[in-house]
Amino acid sequence: MALLGIIRRWYIRDHISILEIARRLDISRNTVRRYIRSDAIEPAYSARHSPSSLDEFAPRLSAWLSAESVKSRKQRRTLKPMFLELKELGYEGS
C-alpha cells in the first residue's frame, strides 16, 4: 500500500500534479490517474513461476555445493568441472 499512499498523499495533500508524480515514481501517468480515482487498495499481483532448465538438477547441485563447502579451498572443485559433469548428466544449457 506504500505506492498508493504516496500517490494519494502527494496529489491531495501536497498538490503535486499527476505528471510530476508519474515522473518522480517512474510510472505511467495513466496509472497515477487510475490510482487517484479508485477507492481500491494496492493491487496484488500473483507470483510468477517460470520453469528453469536447472530444476531437475537442483537437488544434485545443492548436494554438490554443500559437499564442496566443507572442503578446504584448495581441495574444492571449480565450477568448470561441475558444469562439465552436469553436461554429462544431460543438461543442455550454457
Side-chain angles (χ1 to χ4, degrees):
M1 183 146 165
L3 184 63
L4 188 58
I6 290 170
I7 290 172
R8 287 184 178 162
R9 184 177 334 114
W10 283 351
Y11 185 75
I12 295 169
R13 187 184 72 188
D14 299 339
H15 304 290
I16 298 175
S17 69
I18 291 174
L19 189 59
E20 181 61 27
I21 293 171
R23 279 190 196 130
R24 287 183 184 183
L25 296 176
D26 196 28
I27 57 176
S28 169
R29 62 183 172 80
N30 293 332
T31 304
V32 173
R33 183 176 289 120
R34 185 175 63 236
Y35 281 176
I36 290 171
R37 290 180 180 169
S38 74
D39 293 329
I41 57 173
E42 186 86 17
Y45 302 105
S46 61
R48 291 183 1 187
H49 177 70
S50 55
S52 171
S53 60
L54 280 175
D55 284 345
E56 63 182 273
F57 302 104
R60 184 167 303 221
L61 283 171
S62 62
W64 285 351
L65 292 174
S66 64
E68 294 295 322
S69 68
V70 296
K71 294 180 182 177
S72 69
R73 187 176 63 88
K74 294 211 177 220
Q75 292 177 342
R76 291 182 191 162
R77 290 190 297 175
T78 60
L79 290 179
K80 189 170 184 176
M82 285 186 196
F83 174 71
L84 293 175
E85 191 171 339
L86 197 63
K87 290 287 261 188
E88 290 175 4
L89 293 173
Y91 178 66
E92 296 175 356
S94 59

